[in-house]
Amino acid sequence: MITSRDAFFIGNEWVKPASDRCFTLINASTEEEIGTVPEAVEADIDAAVAAARKAFDESGWAQTSPAERAAVMERFMAAVAARGPQIAEAVSAQNGMPIALSSMLEGQFGAGVIQYYAELAKGLGQPDVRPSQMGKETLVERSALGVVAAIVPWNFPVTLALNKVAPAMAAGCTLVIKPSPGTVLDSYLLAEAALEAGVPAGVLNWVAADRGAGAHLVSHPGVDKVAFTGSTAAGRKIAGVCGEMLRPVTLELGGKSAAILLEDADIGTFLQGVPMACMLNNGQACYNGTRILAPKSRYDEVVGALADFAQSLTVGDALDPATHVGPMASAAHRDKVMSYVEIGKQEARLVAGGNSPANRGFFVEPTIFADVDNSDRIAQEEIFGPVLSVIPYDGEDEAIRIANDSEYGLGGSVWSADSEHAKAVAHRVESGTVGVNGYMPSLGSPFGGVKASGLGREFGPEAIGSYQNLKSIYVMS
Ligand code: NAD
């Protein structure tokens, strides 16, 4: 089915693009054309920023009571939830995410994110009154930061957008959201939901663009804050621009997390957790634990179990509910992942997968490498595909040293029959998040990275703070 669009969503209107440039969207499973959408050039970005600026400066969104914003967000949540199945289908067709996963994490979870921040919004608004050493008291006020440029990648296009939209709306900010060129159709469904919900004009604006126009958005004088999710390489560039401008920025970047199996880990529990903790979304998830650290005493057992597991997974069309592993999001990304598989064949021992199987679709077989050294490229560089490296270790201290020997620090997991012991090990892992006997981000707790995995946090009440200014009013008498 061809689904094309010919306008941007700016100021609650469907606005004709400034140029005739467009993105062609491809079904990752079949390589068939899905449709075309307009590509924003600088003039379109300017129009979207102007609409967000006007909504922030003139139409009073930031001054509405938190309860009013929460009511708008609840209507938006309901309209997004009603579109869950369409959203899931659009995402899976475009980026290859298995439909069983997109139904849950893109179709439903995104609405849950809006609901969570709508609830928190209800409690905002009152300044903290704090004791003062020399005067009477200090009032600590929080106000909306302004216009937010939200830049999202293709791997979880809906949830990663709403992770920014919801706390920013709760705080009273307005947004220009820039989807990635390969995953745009879902953003039109969100825009339709915003229109139906009566989100005031200019609060949410969507303009799909490539890097050039994206860079224009990052440095735009009308923007007050940048919220970025994507690769570490792009994050460094964006951080450089924001640093020079002294513009607040949050960065959710890449990862190369470690899954540490302790001596007493139950292999069945681990294998059950692998799809969520290590190979989520065909391996295209930032926090995946793609370095499997196994004790030498159990190394062959772990390698054998993972190889059998990888071979048991159903690789197929992302829209088939029976599919465990769908295609990579694009031909270019499939080629990148396969180039790492070739590097892996030189560096280590291939024990499962290793091919790009189908004649049609951007597929890569679930692939397991054994005898990987942590200094190998496949252990240090983010592959972003269904490729796991099993690394042997001798003693718990060595496991922790290897886990921390990475430029990244986003996710990770520790597996043990003794969860108290696993928690103690998790405590020593240098990372923004770690799972114990599984891994699943939790909406109420901060998510983000250390080292080259990013700056700042999403989720939890903390995320609202990254869309607010703080002001202290010292009341002396
Ligand atoms: P990418 O960095 O190539 O692109 C991400 C987005 O940024 C896209 O919309 C792109 O058009 C835009 N962009 C790129 N360079 C830009 C620039 N200089 N100025 C403005 N916009 C720019 O990343 P990708 O390939 O789309 O996504 C995969 C990456 O995202 C992986 O590295 C993954 O680990 C990371 N990621 C991180 C998280 C997290 O929460 N930490 C979540 C998902 C994905």
Side-chain angles (χ1 to χ4, degrees):
M1 189 180 71
I2 301 283
T3 314
S4 290
R5 304 284 189 150
D6 61 3
F8 296 115
F9 186 74
I10 297 175
N12 277 13
E13 290 183 0
W14 299 105
V15 175
K16 290 287 172 208
S19 81
D20 57 5
R21 291 170 68 154
C22 63
F23 294 125
T24 301
L25 301 169
I26 303 293
N27 182 316
S29 301
T30 64
E31 300 186 32
E32 284 160 2
E33 187 177 321
I34 303 171
T36 58
V37 291
E39 172 182 351
V41 295
E42 292 188 1
D44 302 302
I45 300 280
D46 292 344
V49 173
R53 196 70 264 164
K54 186 169 175 215
F56 187 79
D57 293 336
E58 296 170 28
S59 59
W61 171 250
Q63 287 74 42
T64 53
S65 72
E68 285 173 76
R69 289 202 294 278
V72 171
M73 289 174 71
E74 280 173 346
R75 294 199 303 272
F76 182 41
M77 180 280 295
V80 170
R83 289 165 174 77
Q86 281 169 277
I87 288 173
E89 198 175 321
V91 170
S92 289
Q94 294 170 105
N95 76 359
M97 185 185 303
I99 188 80
L101 189 67
S102 61
S103 299
M104 192 172 55
L105 292 186
E106 293 278 278
Q108 293 171 21
F109 186 75
V113 174
I114 305 171
Q115 178 65 49
Y116 173 77
Y117 284 103
E119 283 302 320
L120 288 184
K122 292 174 190 170
L124 299 176
Q126 295 306 315
D128 288 352
V129 182
R130 302 196 187 172
S132 160
Q133 286 73 41
M134 305 292 281
K136 189 172 167 224
E137 61 190 17
T138 300
L139 306 181
V140 180
E141 285 184 350
R142 292 174 169 76
S143 59
L145 230 165
V147 172
V148 176
I151 299 179
V152 285
W154 45 260
N155 64 331
F156 288 94
V158 173
T159 298
L160 294 174
L162 294 176
N163 288 354
K164 298 161 182 52
V165 166
M169 280 180 87
C173 293
T174 62
L175 295 99
V176 174
I177 305 133
K178 191 204 86 58
S180 193
T183 44
V184 188
L185 288 178
D186 42 284
S187 68
Y188 283 90
L189 298 169
L190 295 180
E192 284 168 7
L195 204 51
E196 181 182 295
V199 175
V203 171
L204 300 177
N205 309 275
W206 274 271
V207 276
D210 217 334
R211 284 155 193 237
H216 180 66
L217 175 61
V218 167
S219 62
H220 201 290
V223 165
D224 298 303
K225 183 223 157 93
V226 176
F228 173 77
T229 300
S231 63
T232 295
R236 283 188 207 281
K237 285 193 189 134
I238 289 169
V241 173
C242 291
E244 188 61 35
M245 300 180 83
L246 299 177
R247 173 166 288 175
V249 60
T250 41
L251 303 165
E252 296 282 348
L253 308 177
K256 192 75 195 180
S257 304
I260 306 174
L261 278 84
L262 298 181
E263 290 280 353
D264 62 352
D266 177 59
I267 197 85
T269 306
F270 173 61
L271 293 179
Q272 265 180 13
V274 165
M276 191 53 88
C278 306
M279 222 184 250
L280 185 72
N281 191 17
N282 321 324
Q284 301 170 135
C286 49
Y287 69 67
N288 273 328
T290 49
R291 293 181 295 146
I292 314 296
L293 310 194
K296 278 192 176 149
S297 58
R298 298 185 61 191
Y299 191 71
D300 292 343
E301 178 198 353
V302 173
V303 168
L306 271 173
D308 291 347
F309 175 80
Q311 279 153 357
S312 76
L313 295 171
T314 304
V315 179
D317 191 311
L319 292 171
D320 182 343
T323 290
H324 297 129
V325 178
M328 302 295 92
S330 65
H333 189 56
R334 184 259 328 268
D335 294 346
K336 179 189 159 196
V337 173
M338 283 307 297
S339 75
Y340 274 107
V341 170
E342 292 309 316
I343 290 167
K345 287 176 185 170
Q346 306 298 316
E347 290 181 328
R349 176 164 60 96
L350 179 72
V351 293
N355 296 303
S356 179
N359 296 328
R360 285 188 329 156
F362 311 129
F363 291 93
V364 173
E365 285 175 349
T367 297
I368 310 291
F369 286 106
D371 302 343
V372 179
D373 189 277
N374 195 52
S375 62
D376 289 339
R377 284 186 64 190
I378 58 167
Q380 288 294 325
E381 297 175 23
E382 186 183 49
I383 299 174
F384 223 55
V387 181
L388 301 183
S389 296
V390 194
I391 302 171
Y393 73 82
D394 196 2
E396 217 163 271
D397 285 346
E398 191 184 21
I400 292 159
R401 185 191 60 71
I402 294 172
N404 292 340
D405 180 14
S406 168
E407 72 164 318
Y408 297 108
L410 183 59
S413 52
V414 185
W415 306 76
S416 167
D418 176 352
S419 64
E420 289 306 313
H421 184 193
K423 279 194 256 178
V425 173
H427 183 69
R428 297 173 65 193
V429 175
E430 292 166 3
S431 180
T433 65
V434 188
V436 168
N437 290 327
Y439 184 99
M440 173 69 88
S442 162
L443 198 41
S445 317
F447 174 90
V450 299
K451 302 195 275 186
S453 290
L455 287 175
R457 294 290 180 271
E458 293 191 329
F459 291 173
E462 289 81 359
I464 296 181
S466 68
Y467 296 98
Q468 290 173 317
N469 278 322
L470 288 171
K471 183 196 275 181
S472 294
I473 300 177
Y474 308 123
V475 182
M476 301 310 289
S477 63

Coordinates of all heavy atoms in Angstrom, one line a residue, residues 151-156 160 178-181 209-211 213-216 218 228-232 234-235 237-238 251-255 285-287 382 384 410 447-448 453 458, ligand 1:
I151 N 15.2 16.0 18.2 CA 15.8 15.3 17.0 C 15.8 13.8 17.3 O 16.4 13.4 18.3 CB 17.2 15.8 16.6 CG1 17.0 17.3 16.3 CG2 17.8 15.1 15.5 CD1 18.3 18.0 16.0
V152 N 15.2 13.0 16.5 CA 15.0 11.5 16.8 C 15.5 10.6 15.7 O 15.5 11.0 14.6 CB 13.5 11.2 17.1 CG1 13.1 11.7 18.5 CG2 12.6 11.7 16.1
P153 N 16.0 9.4 16.1 CA 16.5 8.5 15.2 C 15.4 7.6 14.6 O 14.2 7.8 15.0 CB 17.5 7.7 16.0 CG 16.9 7.6 17.4 CD 16.1 8.9 17.5
W154 N 15.8 6.6 13.9 CA 14.8 5.7 13.2 C 14.4 4.5 14.0 O 13.5 3.8 13.6 CB 15.3 5.3 11.8 CG 16.7 4.9 11.8 CD1 17.8 5.6 11.4 CD2 17.2 3.6 12.1 NE1 18.9 4.9 11.5 CE2 18.6 3.6 12.0 CE3 16.7 2.4 12.6 CZ2 19.5 2.6 12.2 CZ3 17.5 1.3 12.9 CH2 18.9 1.4 12.7
N155 N 15.2 4.2 15.1 CA 15.0 2.8 15.6 C 13.7 2.7 16.5 O 13.1 1.6 16.4 CB 16.2 2.3 16.3 CG 16.6 3.1 17.5 OD1 16.3 4.3 17.6 ND2 17.3 2.5 18.5
F156 N 13.4 3.7 17.3 CA 12.1 3.7 18.0 C 11.5 5.1 17.8 O 11.5 6.0 18.7 CB 12.3 3.5 19.5 CG 12.6 2.0 19.8 CD1 13.9 1.6 19.9 CD2 11.6 1.1 20.0 CE1 14.2 0.3 20.2 CE2 11.9 -0.2 20.3 CZ 13.2 -0.6 20.4
L160 N 10.8 7.5 21.1 CA 11.9 8.4 21.4 C 11.5 9.8 21.1 O 12.0 10.7 21.8 CB 13.1 8.0 20.5 CG 13.7 6.6 20.9 CD1 14.8 6.2 19.9 CD2 14.2 6.6 22.3
K178 N 12.0 16.7 14.7 CA 12.6 16.3 13.4 C 12.8 14.8 13.3 O 13.7 14.3 13.9 CB 13.9 17.0 13.2 CG 14.4 16.9 11.8 CD 15.9 17.0 11.6 CE 16.7 15.7 11.9 NZ 16.3 14.6 11.0
P179 N 11.9 14.1 12.7 CA 12.1 12.7 12.5 C 13.2 12.4 11.6 O 13.7 13.2 10.8 CB 10.8 12.2 11.9 CG 9.8 13.3 12.0 CD 10.6 14.6 12.0
S180 N 13.7 11.1 11.6 CA 14.7 10.7 10.7 C 14.2 10.4 9.3 O 13.0 10.0 9.2 CB 15.3 9.4 11.4 OG 16.5 9.0 10.8
P181 N 14.9 10.6 8.3 CA 14.4 10.4 6.9 C 13.7 9.1 6.6 O 12.8 9.0 5.9 CB 15.6 10.6 6.0 CG 16.6 11.4 6.8 CD 16.3 11.1 8.3
A209 N 13.6 15.9 8.2 CA 14.7 16.6 7.4 C 15.9 15.7 7.6 O 16.0 14.8 8.4 CB 15.0 17.9 8.0
D210 N 16.8 15.9 6.7 CA 18.1 15.2 6.7 C 19.1 16.0 7.6 O 18.7 17.0 8.2 CB 18.7 15.0 5.3 CG 19.4 13.7 5.2 OD1 19.9 13.2 6.3 OD2 19.4 13.1 4.1
R211 N 20.4 15.6 7.6 CA 21.3 16.2 8.6 C 21.5 17.7 8.4 O 21.6 18.4 9.3 CB 22.7 15.5 8.4 CG 22.7 14.2 9.1 CD 23.7 13.2 8.5 NE 23.3 11.9 9.1 CZ 24.1 11.2 9.8 NH1 25.3 11.5 10.0 NH2 23.6 10.0 10.2
A213 N 19.6 20.2 7.1 CA 18.5 21.0 7.7 C 18.4 20.7 9.2 O 18.0 21.6 9.9 CB 17.2 20.7 6.9
G214 N 18.7 19.5 9.6 CA 18.7 19.2 11.0 C 19.7 20.1 11.7 O 19.5 20.6 12.8
A215 N 20.9 20.3 11.1 CA 21.9 21.1 11.7 C 21.4 22.6 11.8 O 21.7 23.3 12.8 CB 23.2 21.1 10.9
H216 N 20.7 23.0 10.8 CA 20.1 24.4 10.8 C 19.2 24.5 12.0 O 19.2 25.6 12.7 CB 19.3 24.6 9.5 CG 18.7 25.9 9.4 ND1 19.4 27.1 9.3 CD2 17.4 26.3 9.3 CE1 18.6 28.1 9.2 NE2 17.3 27.6 9.2
V218 N 19.4 22.8 14.9 CA 20.2 22.8 16.1 C 20.7 24.2 16.4 O 20.7 24.6 17.6 CB 21.3 21.8 16.0 CG1 22.3 22.0 17.1 CG2 20.8 20.4 16.0
F228 N 18.4 15.5 21.8 CA 18.8 14.7 20.7 C 18.9 13.2 21.1 O 19.5 12.9 22.2 CB 20.2 15.2 20.2 CG 20.8 14.3 19.2 CD1 20.4 14.3 17.9 CD2 21.8 13.4 19.5 CE1 20.9 13.5 16.9 CE2 22.4 12.6 18.6 CZ 22.0 12.6 17.3
T229 N 18.4 12.3 20.3 CA 18.7 10.9 20.4 C 19.3 10.4 19.1 O 18.7 10.7 18.0 CB 17.5 10.0 20.8 OG1 17.0 10.5 22.0 CG2 17.9 8.6 20.9
G230 N 20.5 9.8 19.1 CA 21.1 9.3 17.9 C 22.5 8.8 18.2 O 22.8 8.5 19.3
S231 N 23.3 8.8 17.1 CA 24.6 8.2 17.2 C 25.6 9.2 18.0 O 25.3 10.4 18.1 CB 25.2 8.0 15.8 OG 25.3 9.3 15.2
T232 N 26.6 8.6 18.6 CA 27.6 9.4 19.3 C 28.3 10.4 18.4 O 28.5 11.5 18.8 CB 28.6 8.4 20.0 OG1 27.8 7.7 21.0 CG2 29.7 9.2 20.7
A234 N 27.1 12.0 15.7 CA 26.2 13.2 15.5 C 26.1 13.9 16.8 O 26.1 15.1 16.8 CB 24.9 12.7 15.0
G235 N 26.0 13.2 17.9 CA 25.8 13.8 19.2 C 27.0 14.7 19.6 O 26.8 15.8 20.1
K237 N 28.9 16.3 17.4 CA 28.7 17.6 16.5 C 27.7 18.5 17.2 O 27.9 19.7 17.3 CB 28.3 17.2 15.1 CG 29.4 16.6 14.3 CD 29.0 16.5 12.8 CE 30.0 15.7 12.1 NZ 29.5 14.7 11.2
I238 N 26.6 17.9 17.5 CA 25.5 18.8 18.1 C 25.9 19.4 19.4 O 25.7 20.6 19.7 CB 24.2 17.9 18.2 CG1 23.7 17.6 16.8 CG2 23.2 18.6 19.1 CD1 22.6 16.6 16.7
L251 N 21.6 14.6 25.4 CA 22.1 13.7 24.4 C 21.9 12.2 24.8 O 22.5 11.8 25.8 CB 23.6 13.9 24.1 CG 24.0 15.3 23.7 CD1 25.5 15.5 23.9 CD2 23.5 15.6 22.3
E252 N 21.1 11.5 24.1 CA 20.9 10.0 24.3 C 21.7 9.4 23.1 O 21.2 9.4 22.0 CB 19.5 9.7 24.3 CG 18.7 10.3 25.4 CD 18.9 9.6 26.7 OE1 19.5 8.5 26.8 OE2 18.5 10.1 27.8
L253 N 22.8 8.7 23.4 CA 23.7 8.3 22.3 C 23.9 6.8 22.2 O 23.0 6.1 22.7 CB 25.0 9.1 22.4 CG 24.9 10.6 22.5 CD1 26.2 11.3 22.7 CD2 24.1 11.2 21.3
G254 N 24.9 6.4 21.7 CA 25.1 5.0 21.4 C 25.6 4.2 22.6 O 25.8 4.7 23.7
G255 N 25.7 2.9 22.4 CA 26.1 2.0 23.5 C 26.8 0.7 23.0 O 26.8 0.4 21.8
A285 N 18.8 -1.5 19.0 CA 18.4 -0.7 20.2 C 19.7 -0.3 21.0 O 20.7 -1.1 21.1 CB 17.6 -1.5 21.2
C286 N 19.7 1.0 21.4 CA 20.9 1.6 22.0 C 21.5 0.9 23.2 O 22.7 0.8 23.4 CB 20.6 3.0 22.3 SG 19.1 3.1 23.4
Y287 N 20.6 0.3 24.0 CA 21.1 -0.2 25.3 C 21.5 -1.7 25.2 O 22.0 -2.3 26.2 CB 20.1 0.0 26.4 CG 18.8 -0.8 26.3 CD1 18.8 -2.2 26.4 CD2 17.6 -0.2 26.1 CE1 17.7 -3.0 26.3 CE2 16.5 -0.9 25.9 CZ 16.5 -2.3 26.0 OH 15.4 -3.1 25.9
E382 N 29.9 0.1 18.1 CA 28.5 -0.2 18.1 C 28.1 -0.7 16.7 O 28.3 -0.1 15.7 CB 27.7 1.1 18.4 CG 26.2 0.8 18.5 CD 25.4 2.1 18.8 OE1 25.6 3.0 18.0 OE2 24.6 2.0 19.7
F384 N 24.9 -2.3 16.0 CA 23.5 -2.0 15.9 C 22.8 -3.0 15.0 O 22.0 -2.6 14.2 CB 23.4 -0.5 15.3 CG 22.3 0.3 16.0 CD1 22.3 0.4 17.4 CD2 21.2 0.8 15.3 CE1 21.3 1.1 18.1 CE2 20.3 1.6 16.0 CZ 20.3 1.7 17.4
L410 N 25.8 2.9 28.7 CA 24.4 3.1 28.6 C 23.6 2.1 29.3 O 22.7 2.4 30.2 CB 24.0 3.2 27.1 CG 22.5 3.6 26.9 CD1 22.2 4.9 27.5 CD2 22.2 3.6 25.4
F447 N 16.7 7.4 32.6 CA 17.3 6.5 31.6 C 18.3 7.4 30.9 O 17.9 8.5 30.4 CB 16.3 5.9 30.7 CG 17.0 5.2 29.5 CD1 17.2 3.8 29.7 CD2 17.3 5.8 28.4 CE1 17.9 3.1 28.6 CE2 18.0 5.1 27.3 CZ 18.2 3.8 27.5
G448 N 19.5 6.9 30.7 CA 20.5 7.7 29.9 C 21.9 7.1 30.1 O 22.0 6.1 30.8
S453 N 28.1 7.7 25.9 CA 26.6 7.4 25.7 C 25.7 8.5 26.0 O 24.5 8.4 25.8 CB 26.2 6.2 26.6 OG 26.9 5.0 26.1
E458 N 16.4 10.9 30.3 CA 15.0 10.9 30.0 C 14.3 10.0 31.0 O 15.0 9.3 31.8 CB 14.7 10.4 28.5 CG 15.3 11.4 27.5 CD 14.9 11.2 26.1 OE1 14.7 10.1 25.7 OE2 14.9 12.2 25.4
Ligands
NAD1 P1 22.0 9.4 13.7 O1 22.9 10.1 14.6 O2 22.6 9.2 12.3 O3 20.7 10.3 13.4 C1 19.8 10.6 14.5 C2 19.0 11.8 14.1 O4 19.8 12.9 14.1 C3 18.4 11.7 12.7 O5 17.1 12.3 12.7 C4 19.4 12.5 11.9 O6 18.8 13.0 10.7 C5 19.8 13.6 12.8 N1 21.1 14.1 12.6 C6 22.3 13.5 12.3 N2 23.3 14.4 12.3 C7 22.7 15.6 12.7 C8 23.3 16.9 12.8 N3 24.6 17.2 12.7 N4 22.4 17.9 13.2 C9 21.1 17.7 13.4 N5 20.6 16.5 13.2 C10 21.4 15.4 12.9 O7 21.5 8.1 14.4 P2 20.6 6.9 13.7 O8 21.4 6.1 12.9 O9 19.4 7.5 13.2 O10 20.2 6.1 15.1 C11 21.0 5.1 15.6 C12 21.9 5.6 16.8 O11 21.0 6.2 17.8 C13 22.6 4.5 17.4 O12 23.9 5.0 17.7 C14 21.9 4.3 18.7 O13 22.7 3.8 19.8 C15 21.4 5.7 19.0 N6 20.3 5.6 20.0 C16 20.4 6.0 21.3 C17 19.4 5.9 22.2 C18 19.5 6.3 23.6 O14 18.5 6.5 24.3 N7 20.7 6.5 24.1 C19 18.2 5.4 21.7 C20 18.0 5.0 20.4 C21 19.1 5.2 19.5

